[in-house]
Amino acid sequence: MNRHASEYYHLQSTDSTPLNGKFLFKTEEEKHNIVSRLKEQKSIKNYCVEQQITPDIRKWVMLSLELINYLDEACILIGVTDITDLKKNEEELYKHASFDMLTGVLNRRSGLELLSQQLSAGSESLEFIICYIDINDLKKTNDLFGHSTGDDLIKTCCDTINQQITNNDVLFRLGGDEFILVFFQKQMKDVQQLVRNIKCGFEEINGSNQKPYSISASYGYYHYKPGTVITLEKILEMADQEMYKEKCDQKKTMINPTPNSDRTVSQI
């Protein structure tokens, strides 16, 4: 190991003390796989791996490995190129391509791609329920308080939703004030309870008077079961129709309130 490599890996290297090279690989299995490949191919180019340089430092490197004879002994010659900055740029590009910059949730392209993969997975597709969410009165908020406050309304809604859903659920922005929640392998009663929790989260914010606007949304559902012959466009259309029914019911309730009536809920 040359001096530059020793400094890079924060190692003390001397000519008389051989170093164990296991730190180059994540696991013993990975090292054995590399050795097996080298025995067959003699060399491996551009092998990318993330390495734990120190307990506090992780870096991405690109390895070039070659099986050689050195002093009549079979050895592996390894060249190391730091590609950490390249990986960071790659991750940033992926983030811009896959996530909505305002809210931090998945964007339309990524969300629709996820659903399309499920519909095309055949026997391996998973059962899911989608909830079509439309934030109420975003235009009114924009007109009264400005678009920056409207953006805050959207972000606050997403933050509240994310606090209530599980790690297996997926939220993505369909566009503007419309979002899709995807619940995998959950029963409708469980989904409805999660949505009730989201509504309670909105009401808590409204009751605190910490925002100049009032938060509410309309919801529509579609339950997909594997084997159902349906397009993604039709699924979204049907959920959108259910959402629109609830929105109309909410408006009717506001115009003609019924004393002591419960808040209107989605019809499923």
Side-chain angles (χ1 to χ4, degrees):
M1 178 175 286
N2 63 17
R3 180 182 60 82
H4 183 64
S6 298
E7 293 173 353
Y8 181 80
Y9 285 105
H10 298 258
L11 298 171
Q12 297 298 322
S13 177
T14 66
D15 293 338
S16 60
T17 307
L19 290 170
N20 190 328
K22 66 180 183 180
F23 64 86
L24 289 167
F25 306 103
K26 289 183 177 180
T27 63
E28 281 292 317
E29 182 181 5
E30 183 181 41
K31 185 177 75 172
H32 289 314
N33 289 337
I34 288 291
V35 172
S36 297
R37 286 179 59 186
L38 282 171
K39 288 179 179 178
E40 295 179 2
Q41 304 171 14
K42 305 305 179 185
S43 68
I44 300 173
K45 304 295 184 182
N46 304 331
Y47 183 82
C48 297
V49 62
E50 189 179 20
Q51 295 179 340
Q52 190 75 48
I53 306 299
T54 72
D56 301 319
I57 301 175
R58 295 184 68 85
K59 293 185 178 182
W60 277 93
V61 300
M62 184 168 63
L63 305 179
S64 294
L65 308 100
E66 186 175 354
L67 191 61
I68 64 170
N69 283 317
Y70 180 70
L71 299 177
D72 296 325
E73 187 176 357
C75 296
I76 301 173
L77 177 64
I78 304 176
V80 180
T81 303
D82 189 332
I83 58 169
T84 304
D85 289 341
L86 181 64
K87 276 291 182 179
K88 287 180 179 178
N89 291 336
E90 187 179 279
E91 290 171 1
E92 192 65 25
L93 288 172
Y94 172 78
K95 183 178 179 180
H96 279 281
S98 304
F99 292 87
D100 177 62
M101 291 297 101
L102 174 64
T103 62
V105 304
L106 286 177
N107 61 21
R108 177 188 179 94
R109 183 190 63 81
S110 297
L112 295 181
E113 184 177 290
L114 180 146
L115 291 175
S116 295
Q117 288 173 351
Q118 286 300 319
L119 294 181
S120 61
S123 60
E124 297 182 357
S125 64
L126 300 175
E127 181 176 354
F128 63 82
I129 297 171
I130 72 165
C131 178
Y132 198 118
I133 302 174
D134 184 273
I135 300 172
N136 294 331
D137 298 325
L138 176 62
K139 184 179 184 304
K140 180 180 177 181
T141 300
N142 286 332
D143 291 342
L144 288 174
F145 306 108
H147 285 273
S148 61
T149 303
D151 287 346
D152 184 71
L153 168 59
I154 293 173
K155 288 189 289 186
T156 301
C157 286
C158 286
D159 290 343
T160 305
I161 292 170
N162 277 324
Q163 289 171 9
Q164 301 299 334
I165 61 178
T166 69
N167 291 334
N168 294 326
D169 309 323
V170 177
L171 173 66
F172 70 90
R173 189 178 186 182
L174 190 63
D177 55 3
E178 297 177 326
F179 293 81
I180 299 293
L181 257 175
V182 188
F183 300 94
F184 288 104
Q185 296 180 308
K186 278 187 171 67
Q187 299 300 312
M188 184 61 77
K189 61 182 179 62
D190 300 320
V191 170
Q192 289 177 309
Q193 181 58 57
L194 286 171
V195 172
R196 282 194 289 270
N197 294 342
I198 291 169
K199 292 179 179 180
C200 288
F202 290 161
E203 289 169 359
E204 286 180 9
I205 295 173
N206 293 339
S208 69
N209 295 318
Q210 58 182 289
K211 301 290 185 180
Y213 48 74
S214 178
I215 305 177
S216 67
S218 302
Y219 310 84
Y221 304 87
Y222 180 83
H223 191 168
Y224 171 80
K225 296 183 179 181
T228 304
V229 180
I230 191 170
T231 64
L232 177 55
E233 291 75 15
K234 188 63 177 178
I235 288 176
L236 295 175
E237 178 186 339
M238 294 179 71
D240 183 27
Q241 290 174 354
E242 291 297 313
M243 180 278 296
Y244 186 71
K245 289 179 185 177
E246 180 178 280
K247 188 177 286 288
C248 290
D249 289 342
Q250 289 176 348
K251 290 180 178 179
K252 290 177 183 177
T253 302
M254 291 176 65
I255 296 172
N256 301 301
T258 302
N260 301 321
S261 64
D262 293 333
R263 176 172 291 191
T264 303
V265 297
S266 298
Q267 301 299 311
I268 303 164

